[in-house]
Amino acid sequence: MDAIRRSLLGQLARLSAGAALVPFSSLASAGINQQPVRREGDPTKRYGMLIDLRQCIGCQACTVSCHIENAAPLGQFRTTVAQYEVQHQESGELATFMLPRLCNHCENPPCVPVCPVEATYQQQDGIVVVDSDRCVGCAYCVNACPYDARFINERTQTADKCTFCAHRLEAGLLPACVESCVGGARIIGDMRNPDSQISRLINEHRDALMVLQPEKNTLPQVFYLGMDERFTTRPVAEPVALEVLDPHGQEMGYEFHH
C-alpha cells in the first residue's frame, strides 16, 4: 500500500487515526475470498464515484433525493451525510466535518460471497445489487459489510442498499444523489473511459484520493478528495441528532448508530 501523504484539508481538525491513500497499483491482485462470477451490466464499463469533500456543505439533498427515488422506508437510508464537530488538537478551534456515506461497490465486495442464495451479486460493470425476489432477509450481507452501507428493509424484509441508481444509469441519467448535489461534490462515471470526468479527476488528484478502511482489502470504488488523512471511518463521536421524527415520535439522525 502506498505511504500516507498529506491530504488537501490539512488545516482541518486532526483526529487520532486515519485513512490511507487509494492503492491503485493493487486493483488486479488483491482479494478477500472466492467471488462468484459477475453477471448482467455492461462489461465494458466500471462505475465508480468520487466525492469532493471540499464541495460538500452537508445539506442532505443527496439523502432526501435518494430516499424519494428509491422509496426507502421512513428512517432507513441508502446514503447519508454524517456530520462531525471536531476540535483542532493545537488551536482548540472547532470545525464541522462532512462525510457522505454509501455502498462502496467494492472490487472485492465481502457482502457477495456470504449470501447463501446469491441474491447479492456484482454486475459486470462493478455495481453491487440485490435481487429482492431471491433475498431471504438473513442479514449475512449486512453483517459482512464493513461500511454500514446495508440494512434490512422494514417494508420488504430484504436487504437494501445503494445501487448507484443503476436503473437511472441504464437510462442515461445520473443517480439521484449526484443530480441533486448542490455543490457538485459527487461525481460518478465510467473509470474505464479515459475521457470521463471521474477518470480525469482521478488522474489529476491521484496522490490525494482516499478510501474508507483500506486495510479491509475490499478495494472500495468510492473515492474521497479532501479528506483529512487521520480521519477514521468511525471516529469516537456522538450521532448528530436532527429534529426529524419518525412515526413513533422518535428522533432520526443521519449518522450511523453504534
Side-chain angles (χ1 to χ4, degrees):
M1 183 179 295
D2 296 338
I4 296 179
R5 297 181 177 88
R6 301 294 297 178
S7 68
L8 298 183
L9 291 188
Q11 73 275 15
L12 279 180
R14 303 295 186 178
L15 299 181
S16 58
L21 289 172
V22 181
F24 286 100
S25 60
S26 61
L27 282 176
S29 60
I32 299 175
N33 39 40
Q34 185 109 22
Q35 293 284 344
V37 176
R38 299 182 184 184
R39 62 183 194 266
E40 302 176 11
D42 187 343
T44 67
K45 297 181 178 180
R46 206 323 174 181
Y47 285 107
M49 182 177 289
L50 187 149
I51 301 178
D52 189 344
L53 298 179
R54 304 169 303 176
Q55 306 299 324
C56 179
I57 60 174
C59 67
Q60 301 291 351
C62 55
T63 303
V64 174
S65 61
C66 171
H67 193 273
I68 295 172
E69 174 70 26
N70 296 290
L74 188 62
Q76 295 186 305
F77 305 95
R78 290 186 173 192
T79 187
T80 64
V81 180
Q83 301 182 23
Y84 300 99
E85 186 177 74
V86 291
Q87 187 174 31
H88 196 287
Q89 289 181 336
E90 298 177 359
S91 67
E93 295 181 355
L94 297 177
T96 300
F97 189 88
M98 309 296 179
L99 186 61
R101 301 289 296 271
L102 68 159
C103 172
N104 283 256
H105 298 279
C106 309
E107 188 67 17
N108 288 323
C111 57
V112 172
V114 301
C115 180
V117 295
E118 296 188 6
T120 286
Y121 63 96
Q122 191 167 30
Q123 297 185 160
Q124 295 182 84
D125 55 16
I127 299 177
V128 178
V129 296
V130 179
D131 183 347
S132 58
D133 291 331
R134 294 179 63 93
C135 180
V136 296
C138 66
Y140 287 173
C141 62
V142 176
N143 293 322
C145 175
Y147 304 106
D148 297 319
R150 287 173 167 262
F151 59 92
I152 297 298
N153 188 302
E154 293 179 354
R155 184 183 304 116
T156 64
Q157 290 302 301
T158 58
D160 204 335
K161 58 176 284 298
C162 159
T163 63
F164 276 170
C165 280
H167 61 290
R168 291 177 62 90
L169 289 174
E170 290 174 0
L173 303 173
L174 291 173
C177 66
V178 176
E179 188 174 76
S180 64
C181 181
V182 297
R186 297 191 181 211
I187 297 94
I188 194 169
D190 177 16
M191 296 184 295
R192 289 180 178 166
N193 178 3
D195 296 324
S196 67
Q197 183 183 12
I198 191 170
S199 293
R200 295 197 304 270
L201 288 172
I202 286 175
N203 288 332
E204 181 180 354
H205 300 288
R206 182 177 297 267
D207 291 341
L209 293 178
M210 296 184 183
V211 296
L212 299 178
Q213 299 190 29
E215 73 280 358
K216 299 293 186 181
N217 203 32
T218 62
L219 300 180
Q221 301 300 296
V222 173
F223 310 110
Y224 292 88
L225 176 60
M227 182 185 289
D228 187 282
E229 66 188 29
R230 290 180 289 180
F231 196 87
T232 61
T233 303
R234 296 288 294 274
V236 178
E238 292 296 325
V240 175
L242 302 180
E243 294 182 357
V244 180
L245 302 182
D246 66 15
H248 306 291
Q250 300 296 316
E251 280 189 328
M252 297 174 357
Y254 290 115
E255 167 65 316
F256 297 98
H257 297 289
H258 295 281

